[in-house]
Amino acid sequence: MPKRILQGTVVSDKNDKTVVVKVERRFKDPVLKKIVRRSKRYHAHDESNAVAVGTTVKIRECKPISKLKKWEVYTEEA
């Protein structure tokens, strides 16, 4: 099964080997008929502590690393 990949902005890098990524999704509200924004924060594993706050990153699903971390920072190897 393919792993999900999301794109978001890093909002916190204070923890060791962990970043908090805010992912925003946009959809059309079925009742109001207007575009609505919803965001969610994901804890992602960053092995090298290379990502800083404000950086746009891609994260992908992985096996659970800890209680909150089920995502990892994803870099495309070409």
Side-chain angles (χ1 to χ4, degrees), residues 43 60-64 66-72:
H43 290 252
R60 75 172 168 191
E61 225 172 6
C62 65
K63 66 179 184 177
S66 68
K67 178 182 173 182
L68 295 174
K69 287 199 293 184
K70 293 154 185 72
W71 297 82
E72 62 187 356

Side-chain angles (χ1 to χ4, degrees), residues 18-34:
T18 304
V19 291
V20 180
V21 180
K22 182 178 177 181
V23 176
E24 190 173 274
R25 64 186 183 95
R26 300 170 73 164
F27 62 95
K28 188 172 186 177
D29 188 277
V31 177
L32 300 176
K33 307 291 191 228
K34 60 194 290 185

Side-chain angles (χ1 to χ4, degrees), residues 43-54:
H43 290 252
H45 185 67
D46 179 22
E47 184 65 38
S48 60
N49 285 327
V51 183
V53 175

